[in-house]
Amino acid sequence: MSGVEVFRSLHRRRLLGDPLVLPGPWDAASARVFVEAGFAALATPSAGVAASLGYEDGAVPADEMFAAVARIVRAVDVPVSADVESGYGLAPKELVERLLEAGVVGCNLEDSEGGVLKDPRRHADWLAEVRAVAAERLFVNARVDTFLHGDGNPELAIERAALYVAAGADCVYPIMAPADVLPLLRSGIQGPVNALARLDGAGPSPTALGELGATRVTFGPGLQRWAAHALLGRAAELKP
């Protein structure tokens, strides 16, 4: 089985309360830690990678992001999906080529740019082009930013998700959706649903998110920020 086939199979037949948990490595070292801990696949966070490269979220040049992702892929022997924001303005053919060159099995693609929601039909058309070029070589996770940059209307999130699924998205990601809305989203969305887990104890655990309807759980830059906070604490202890 190819890497993308393995990755795709990990999303299938998930039991309630048993979501696919994908930690987000920000460099090769963190990727190896997650694999050593036993995770079957990884999903890079754009904000976490940006921090590791010394950039603000959304400010990483495409070349540097793809190079960073490629280093992560080379460091591990499990499938890796990459958050490539809204595609860096690349045409679908070039975007797919660069993802495949980096060695990833999937990608996360946002439906907003500069904090503004894209027209959902135009974005769906673009996603359909990405799918046509990629065929089955990439697992496409289509982010739905209604709760991040929109009015938080779950029905509108479901409408956007339906367009993206029809365009060929393998999974949809209503980022920042409140936990109590997940059952509604799950009932209205065809296919896998990605939920964001928080590490500050303020939100449900990955298992609880799975019980609410999440097929898979990611953490955004949460793990990178947690690691940086832990390092700061240890560094403070070392100060003379």
Side-chain angles (χ1 to χ4, degrees):
M1 223 189 290
S2 68
V4 68
E5 289 171 332
V6 170
F7 191 67
R8 193 168 274 118
S9 71
L10 290 171
H11 292 76
R12 297 188 186 122
R13 296 182 291 278
R14 306 299 310 191
L15 298 176
L16 200 65
D18 180 34
L20 173 61
V21 178
L22 298 172
W26 53 95
D27 59 13
S30 58
R32 286 174 173 152
V33 168
F34 294 137
V35 172
E36 187 175 348
F39 288 95
L42 308 174
T44 69
S46 62
V49 174
S52 76
L53 296 174
Y55 290 96
E56 294 295 320
D57 185 22
V60 181
D63 288 350
E64 291 199 43
M65 181 61 77
F66 285 113
V69 168
R71 287 193 292 272
I72 289 169
V73 172
R74 287 197 301 268
V76 297
D77 58 0
V78 302
V80 177
S81 180
D83 180 350
V84 288
E85 303 180 22
S86 56
Y88 306 111
L90 300 174
K93 185 175 186 298
E94 184 178 359
L95 175 61
V96 169
E97 287 174 351
R98 299 201 65 174
L99 287 164
L100 294 174
E101 286 171 2
V104 299
V105 300
C107 59
N108 188 74
L109 296 169
E110 303 169 5
D111 71 343
S112 66
E113 196 158 22
V116 178
L117 288 173
K118 296 180 179 180
D119 177 272
R121 295 190 181 278
R122 290 181 183 174
H123 186 60
D125 289 343
W126 183 78
L127 287 174
E129 290 185 58
V130 172
R131 168 54 69 211
V133 175
E136 295 302 307
R137 295 178 295 171
L138 287 174
F139 185 100
V140 177
N141 186 37
R143 208 173 85 174
V144 178
D145 287 0
T146 308
F147 300 96
L148 182 63
H149 298 306
D151 62 4
N153 184 331
E155 295 298 337
L156 290 180
I158 290 171
E159 289 176 13
R160 295 176 83 90
L163 289 170
Y164 305 158
V165 171
D170 297 284
C171 182
V172 293
Y173 180 15
I175 188 171
M176 301 302 291
D180 59 2
V181 175
L182 268 178
L184 175 62
L185 297 175
R186 171 69 281 168
S187 66
I189 294 173
Q190 298 296 314
V193 173
N194 189 151
L196 176 71
R198 296 176 59 172
L199 296 174
D200 58 3
S205 67
T207 297
L209 288 170
E211 290 171 346
L212 290 168
T215 311
R216 79 182 214 177
V217 173
T218 53
F219 303 88
L223 286 159
Q224 182 272 326
R225 290 173 181 171
W226 177 89
H229 182 74
L231 184 60
L232 177 61
R234 178 51 59 92
E237 294 173 1
L238 299 175
K239 273 186 74 174

